[in-house]
Amino acid sequence: MRLPWLSIIKGGQRHSLNLFLRRTSLMEGMPMSPVDSILGIQDLVVEHVQRGPEIHVWARPAKRMACVHCQQASVRIKATYHRTLKHTRQGNQLMVLHLAVPKYHCTDCNRYFRHRFAGIRPRRRATEAYRLEVFEAHDGGVSQRQLTRTHRIGSATVERWYQSFIGQRVSELSGRQCPQVLGIDEHFFSRKKGYATTLVDLKHHKVFDVVLGRSEASLRSYLKRLPGREHVRVIVMDLSETYRRIAQQYFPNAMIVADRFHVVRLVNQHFLKLWQQHDPEGRKNRGLLSLMRRHHWKLSSVQKQRLRQYLAQEPVLQALYFAKQQLNGFLVMKSMKAKRAKQMLPKFLALIRQFEHSPAKALAATLTSWLEPIVRMWRFTKSNGITEGFHTKVEMLSRRAYGFRNFENYRMRVLAQCGWNDVINRV
């Protein structure tokens, strides 16, 4: 801190007095002034500020460092060199930091080292605060072209800094244990490389990982070295036979829970196919199609009356429709206690047996093969709606980048945007 009475001393007298105070360590224990703390970098003393199109700040270390090799305080200044760095912005003005960096010599271990600052890395022309500012602006949607104008750096520099912080985020995610509640689903990556598998932590609403491929052969090497897969307790998935075999083989302690949306959609798809077979002309009526798809308890009285008039002409279709509505009534139940679920199970099985003796035999066979995962939907509230939401976000990321060719770059971007839940510490 510059003492108030130093302002009346001019020229060489002030320099000599500052040198005397530093040598006698009278200035080292003094708190940092508000002017010195405006940079946001610890242990810096501001010597001079010049304002113009840019703000130029000259600063130096507030005190000497201890030896980085032997941790002794017996060091002397061998030489001083100057660094020029870009450091954040104030308003629309760029702040340029002119830093005096001492080179020390330790008299105990006879080794040399340079002064080290928090938030300033060696051989870089910008502070970490400035790099983080550019990253957050570009991550928030500011284009590289706009950043080249406002921050006076090249577009290649913006991309390099952005990739650096993306890599930092992903490196913090490496080595994590597999979550206990896992959601598995596929999404489209590219025409050349096909589909990718998304693993989502449904408890914390974060993407755990993205793996190229959706078959057991393409995922085998990844799943074998997946840490903590024996701790997974619940896996939520759609009615995919491939993913069910993968879950049974690589997650031995996990219970499979069917995704409610996909089960209800399967029932509706089977019903619409049967409708197409019984009445091809009525299937083309978009108004009736909307009424057939919706749950019966969500229709108004007018809509119910219109639907009842149509179904009265098709007795077989009418029986299938009300059986489908009754089945959907079972499927939408959730957060049910174990005692209540045991009471509802015989009714559910009886309804499936009715479908076995109807035109919907294929639907009954599918529901029977997935009976346990479907019944578990009554006890668990988690679904793959979180995963589908991340797929929408991933699609927007890919569209913003005009597509990805390199899957590893795509994976890093997805994990950084959808899987990282921390905040990068500023200087």
Side-chain angles (χ1 to χ4, degrees), residues 405-423:
R405 294 184 179 180
N406 190 308
F407 179 78
E408 188 59 31
N409 291 339
Y410 172 75
R411 174 180 173 270
M412 290 179 60
R413 190 67 59 90
V414 172
L415 289 179
Q417 298 292 337
C418 306
W420 190 78
N421 58 354
D422 205 347
V423 178

PDB file of all heavy atoms in Angstrom, residues 405-423:
ATOM      1  N   ARG A 405     -17.962 -34.038 -37.461  1.00  0.00           N
ATOM      2  CA  ARG A 405     -17.341 -35.181 -38.126  1.00  0.00           C
ATOM      3  C   ARG A 405     -16.580 -36.048 -37.131  1.00  0.00           C
ATOM      4  O   ARG A 405     -16.563 -37.268 -37.247  1.00  0.00           O
ATOM      5  CB  ARG A 405     -16.397 -34.702 -39.231  1.00  0.00           C
ATOM      6  CG  ARG A 405     -17.099 -34.000 -40.384  1.00  0.00           C
ATOM      7  CD  ARG A 405     -16.106 -33.650 -41.480  1.00  0.00           C
ATOM      8  NE  ARG A 405     -16.755 -32.997 -42.614  1.00  0.00           N
ATOM      9  CZ  ARG A 405     -16.113 -32.586 -43.715  1.00  0.00           C
ATOM     10  NH1 ARG A 405     -14.796 -32.782 -43.805  1.00  0.00           N
ATOM     11  NH2 ARG A 405     -16.777 -32.011 -44.685  1.00  0.00           N
ATOM     12  N   ASN A 406     -15.926 -35.400 -36.190  1.00  0.00           N
ATOM     13  CA  ASN A 406     -15.137 -36.116 -35.190  1.00  0.00           C
ATOM     14  C   ASN A 406     -16.019 -36.394 -33.981  1.00  0.00           C
ATOM     15  O   ASN A 406     -16.536 -35.475 -33.343  1.00  0.00           O
ATOM     16  CB  ASN A 406     -13.913 -35.273 -34.778  1.00  0.00           C
ATOM     17  CG  ASN A 406     -12.937 -36.054 -33.928  1.00  0.00           C
ATOM     18  OD1 ASN A 406     -13.318 -36.646 -32.928  1.00  0.00           O
ATOM     19  ND2 ASN A 406     -11.685 -36.048 -34.320  1.00  0.00           N
ATOM     20  N   PHE A 407     -16.203 -37.677 -33.663  1.00  0.00           N
ATOM     21  CA  PHE A 407     -17.094 -38.026 -32.560  1.00  0.00           C
ATOM     22  C   PHE A 407     -16.514 -37.600 -31.224  1.00  0.00           C
ATOM     23  O   PHE A 407     -17.273 -37.244 -30.313  1.00  0.00           O
ATOM     24  CB  PHE A 407     -17.358 -39.533 -32.544  1.00  0.00           C
ATOM     25  CG  PHE A 407     -18.253 -39.956 -31.419  1.00  0.00           C
ATOM     26  CD1 PHE A 407     -19.624 -39.758 -31.493  1.00  0.00           C
ATOM     27  CD2 PHE A 407     -17.729 -40.546 -30.279  1.00  0.00           C
ATOM     28  CE1 PHE A 407     -20.458 -40.126 -30.451  1.00  0.00           C
ATOM     29  CE2 PHE A 407     -18.555 -40.922 -29.232  1.00  0.00           C
ATOM     30  CZ  PHE A 407     -19.927 -40.715 -29.326  1.00  0.00           C
ATOM     31  N   GLU A 408     -15.199 -37.614 -31.049  1.00  0.00           N
ATOM     32  CA  GLU A 408     -14.607 -37.223 -29.774  1.00  0.00           C
ATOM     33  C   GLU A 408     -14.860 -35.747 -29.483  1.00  0.00           C
ATOM     34  O   GLU A 408     -15.138 -35.368 -28.339  1.00  0.00           O
ATOM     35  CB  GLU A 408     -13.108 -37.522 -29.783  1.00  0.00           C
ATOM     36  CG  GLU A 408     -12.423 -37.330 -28.437  1.00  0.00           C
ATOM     37  CD  GLU A 408     -13.007 -38.207 -27.347  1.00  0.00           C
ATOM     38  OE1 GLU A 408     -13.481 -39.306 -27.653  1.00  0.00           O
ATOM     39  OE2 GLU A 408     -12.981 -37.773 -26.174  1.00  0.00           O
ATOM     40  N   ASN A 409     -14.767 -34.889 -30.518  1.00  0.00           N
ATOM     41  CA  ASN A 409     -15.106 -33.482 -30.319  1.00  0.00           C
ATOM     42  C   ASN A 409     -16.580 -33.324 -29.944  1.00  0.00           C
ATOM     43  O   ASN A 409     -16.941 -32.491 -29.107  1.00  0.00           O
ATOM     44  CB  ASN A 409     -14.804 -32.687 -31.593  1.00  0.00           C
ATOM     45  CG  ASN A 409     -13.320 -32.588 -31.862  1.00  0.00           C
ATOM     46  OD1 ASN A 409     -12.494 -32.761 -30.955  1.00  0.00           O
ATOM     47  ND2 ASN A 409     -12.955 -32.327 -33.103  1.00  0.00           N
ATOM     48  N   TYR A 410     -17.412 -34.118 -30.591  1.00  0.00           N
ATOM     49  CA  TYR A 410     -18.845 -34.093 -30.285  1.00  0.00           C
ATOM     50  C   TYR A 410     -19.102 -34.535 -28.844  1.00  0.00           C
ATOM     51  O   TYR A 410     -19.889 -33.901 -28.117  1.00  0.00           O
ATOM     52  CB  TYR A 410     -19.566 -35.009 -31.270  1.00  0.00           C
ATOM     53  CG  TYR A 410     -21.019 -35.252 -30.973  1.00  0.00           C
ATOM     54  CD1 TYR A 410     -21.977 -34.278 -31.220  1.00  0.00           C
ATOM     55  CD2 TYR A 410     -21.432 -36.479 -30.453  1.00  0.00           C
ATOM     56  CE1 TYR A 410     -23.313 -34.519 -30.944  1.00  0.00           C
ATOM     57  CE2 TYR A 410     -22.770 -36.725 -30.191  1.00  0.00           C
ATOM     58  CZ  TYR A 410     -23.696 -35.741 -30.440  1.00  0.00           C
ATOM     59  OH  TYR A 410     -25.019 -35.984 -30.168  1.00  0.00           O
ATOM     60  N   ARG A 411     -18.434 -35.587 -28.412  1.00  0.00           N
ATOM     61  CA  ARG A 411     -18.602 -36.080 -27.049  1.00  0.00           C
ATOM     62  C   ARG A 411     -18.144 -35.044 -26.023  1.00  0.00           C
ATOM     63  O   ARG A 411     -18.816 -34.814 -25.007  1.00  0.00           O
ATOM     64  CB  ARG A 411     -17.813 -37.373 -26.872  1.00  0.00           C
ATOM     65  CG  ARG A 411     -17.786 -37.922 -25.452  1.00  0.00           C
ATOM     66  CD  ARG A 411     -16.991 -39.213 -25.370  1.00  0.00           C
ATOM     67  NE  ARG A 411     -16.821 -39.651 -23.995  1.00  0.00           N
ATOM     68  CZ  ARG A 411     -15.801 -39.288 -23.221  1.00  0.00           C
ATOM     69  NH1 ARG A 411     -14.848 -38.486 -23.707  1.00  0.00           N
ATOM     70  NH2 ARG A 411     -15.722 -39.729 -21.974  1.00  0.00           N
ATOM     71  N   MET A 412     -17.001 -34.413 -26.278  1.00  0.00           N
ATOM     72  CA  MET A 412     -16.513 -33.390 -25.351  1.00  0.00           C
ATOM     73  C   MET A 412     -17.494 -32.234 -25.238  1.00  0.00           C
ATOM     74  O   MET A 412     -17.744 -31.718 -24.145  1.00  0.00           O
ATOM     75  CB  MET A 412     -15.146 -32.890 -25.814  1.00  0.00           C
ATOM     76  CG  MET A 412     -14.029 -33.893 -25.665  1.00  0.00           C
ATOM     77  SD  MET A 412     -12.448 -33.250 -26.248  1.00  0.00           S
ATOM     78  CE  MET A 412     -12.229 -31.831 -25.180  1.00  0.00           C
ATOM     79  N   ARG A 413     -18.061 -31.825 -26.367  1.00  0.00           N
ATOM     80  CA  ARG A 413     -19.001 -30.711 -26.340  1.00  0.00           C
ATOM     81  C   ARG A 413     -20.274 -31.086 -25.569  1.00  0.00           C
ATOM     82  O   ARG A 413     -20.799 -30.284 -24.801  1.00  0.00           O
ATOM     83  CB  ARG A 413     -19.345 -30.305 -27.772  1.00  0.00           C
ATOM     84  CG  ARG A 413     -20.134 -29.008 -27.873  1.00  0.00           C
ATOM     85  CD  ARG A 413     -19.288 -27.824 -27.442  1.00  0.00           C
ATOM     86  NE  ARG A 413     -18.093 -27.704 -28.244  1.00  0.00           N
ATOM     87  CZ  ARG A 413     -18.011 -26.997 -29.378  1.00  0.00           C
ATOM     88  NH1 ARG A 413     -19.082 -26.390 -29.850  1.00  0.00           N
ATOM     89  NH2 ARG A 413     -16.876 -26.887 -30.030  1.00  0.00           N
ATOM     90  N   VAL A 414     -20.760 -32.300 -25.758  1.00  0.00           N
ATOM     91  CA  VAL A 414     -21.972 -32.739 -25.059  1.00  0.00           C
ATOM     92  C   VAL A 414     -21.717 -32.836 -23.555  1.00  0.00           C
ATOM     93  O   VAL A 414     -22.535 -32.374 -22.743  1.00  0.00           O
ATOM     94  CB  VAL A 414     -22.466 -34.088 -25.617  1.00  0.00           C
ATOM     95  CG1 VAL A 414     -23.596 -34.647 -24.765  1.00  0.00           C
ATOM     96  CG2 VAL A 414     -22.927 -33.924 -27.050  1.00  0.00           C
ATOM     97  N   LEU A 415     -20.588 -33.413 -23.156  1.00  0.00           N
ATOM     98  CA  LEU A 415     -20.292 -33.548 -21.732  1.00  0.00           C
ATOM     99  C   LEU A 415     -20.087 -32.187 -21.084  1.00  0.00           C
ATOM    100  O   LEU A 415     -20.497 -31.962 -19.938  1.00  0.00           O
ATOM    101  CB  LEU A 415     -19.045 -34.415 -21.537  1.00  0.00           C
ATOM    102  CG  LEU A 415     -19.203 -35.906 -21.835  1.00  0.00           C
ATOM    103  CD1 LEU A 415     -17.881 -36.636 -21.615  1.00  0.00           C
ATOM    104  CD2 LEU A 415     -20.285 -36.524 -20.973  1.00  0.00           C
ATOM    105  N   ALA A 416     -19.446 -31.266 -21.807  1.00  0.00           N
ATOM    106  CA  ALA A 416     -19.201 -29.945 -21.237  1.00  0.00           C
ATOM    107  C   ALA A 416     -20.494 -29.162 -21.054  1.00  0.00           C
ATOM    108  O   ALA A 416     -20.635 -28.380 -20.111  1.00  0.00           O
ATOM    109  CB  ALA A 416     -18.233 -29.167 -22.129  1.00  0.00           C
ATOM    110  N   GLN A 417     -21.451 -29.356 -21.967  1.00  0.00           N
ATOM    111  CA  GLN A 417     -22.691 -28.588 -21.906  1.00  0.00           C
ATOM    112  C   GLN A 417     -23.769 -29.274 -21.077  1.00  0.00           C
ATOM    113  O   GLN A 417     -24.585 -28.588 -20.444  1.00  0.00           O
ATOM    114  CB  GLN A 417     -23.229 -28.365 -23.332  1.00  0.00           C
ATOM    115  CG  GLN A 417     -22.299 -27.561 -24.232  1.00  0.00           C
ATOM    116  CD  GLN A 417     -22.168 -26.118 -23.790  1.00  0.00           C
ATOM    117  OE1 GLN A 417     -23.034 -25.590 -23.109  1.00  0.00           O
ATOM    118  NE2 GLN A 417     -21.097 -25.460 -24.185  1.00  0.00           N
ATOM    119  N   CYS A 418     -23.802 -30.596 -21.071  1.00  0.00           N
ATOM    120  CA  CYS A 418     -24.903 -31.327 -20.438  1.00  0.00           C
ATOM    121  C   CYS A 418     -24.479 -32.181 -19.255  1.00  0.00           C
ATOM    122  O   CYS A 418     -25.358 -32.706 -18.554  1.00  0.00           O
ATOM    123  CB  CYS A 418     -25.596 -32.236 -21.468  1.00  0.00           C
ATOM    124  SG  CYS A 418     -26.156 -31.384 -22.951  1.00  0.00           S
ATOM    125  N   GLY A 419     -23.194 -32.363 -19.032  1.00  0.00           N
ATOM    126  CA  GLY A 419     -22.758 -33.240 -17.955  1.00  0.00           C
ATOM    127  C   GLY A 419     -21.983 -32.563 -16.858  1.00  0.00           C
ATOM    128  O   GLY A 419     -21.847 -33.091 -15.753  1.00  0.00           O
ATOM    129  N   TRP A 420     -21.468 -31.360 -17.135  1.00  0.00           N
ATOM    130  CA  TRP A 420     -20.633 -30.654 -16.162  1.00  0.00           C
ATOM    131  C   TRP A 420     -21.517 -29.748 -15.334  1.00  0.00           C
ATOM    132  O   TRP A 420     -22.249 -28.910 -15.861  1.00  0.00           O
ATOM    133  CB  TRP A 420     -19.575 -29.840 -16.902  1.00  0.00           C
ATOM    134  CG  TRP A 420     -18.510 -29.252 -16.049  1.00  0.00           C
ATOM    135  CD1 TRP A 420     -17.439 -29.889 -15.516  1.00  0.00           C
ATOM    136  CD2 TRP A 420     -18.389 -27.878 -15.667  1.00  0.00           C
ATOM    137  NE1 TRP A 420     -16.655 -29.012 -14.816  1.00  0.00           N
ATOM    138  CE2 TRP A 420     -17.216 -27.767 -14.891  1.00  0.00           C
ATOM    139  CE3 TRP A 420     -19.147 -26.740 -15.893  1.00  0.00           C
ATOM    140  CZ2 TRP A 420     -16.793 -26.567 -14.352  1.00  0.00           C
ATOM    141  CZ3 TRP A 420     -18.727 -25.545 -15.349  1.00  0.00           C
ATOM    142  CH2 TRP A 420     -17.559 -25.467 -14.592  1.00  0.00           C
ATOM    143  N   ASN A 421     -21.473 -29.859 -14.009  1.00  0.00           N
ATOM    144  CA  ASN A 421     -22.384 -29.112 -13.142  1.00  0.00           C
ATOM    145  C   ASN A 421     -21.650 -28.245 -12.142  1.00  0.00           C
ATOM    146  O   ASN A 421     -22.165 -27.942 -11.079  1.00  0.00           O
ATOM    147  CB  ASN A 421     -23.306 -30.076 -12.396  1.00  0.00           C
ATOM    148  CG  ASN A 421     -22.529 -31.092 -11.562  1.00  0.00           C
ATOM    149  OD1 ASN A 421     -21.311 -31.147 -11.622  1.00  0.00           O
ATOM    150  ND2 ASN A 421     -23.244 -31.891 -10.798  1.00  0.00           N
ATOM    151  N   ASP A 422     -20.440 -27.813 -12.455  1.00  0.00           N
ATOM    152  CA  ASP A 422     -19.657 -27.000 -11.547  1.00  0.00           C
ATOM    153  C   ASP A 422     -19.465 -25.621 -12.156  1.00  0.00           C
ATOM    154  O   ASP A 422     -19.954 -25.320 -13.226  1.00  0.00           O
ATOM    155  CB  ASP A 422     -18.295 -27.653 -11.276  1.00  0.00           C
ATOM    156  CG  ASP A 422     -17.716 -27.216  -9.926  1.00  0.00           C
ATOM    157  OD1 ASP A 422     -18.250 -26.241  -9.369  1.00  0.00           O
ATOM    158  OD2 ASP A 422     -16.759 -27.840  -9.454  1.00  0.00           O
ATOM    159  N   VAL A 423     -18.730 -24.765 -11.463  1.00  0.00           N
ATOM    160  CA  VAL A 423     -18.438 -23.423 -11.934  1.00  0.00           C
ATOM    161  C   VAL A 423     -16.934 -23.259 -11.974  1.00  0.00           C
ATOM    162  O   VAL A 423     -16.241 -23.594 -10.999  1.00  0.00           O
ATOM    163  CB  VAL A 423     -19.063 -22.353 -11.015  1.00  0.00           C
ATOM    164  CG1 VAL A 423     -18.704 -20.957 -11.491  1.00  0.00           C
ATOM    165  CG2 VAL A 423     -20.564 -22.520 -10.962  1.00  0.00           C
TER     166      VAL A 423
END
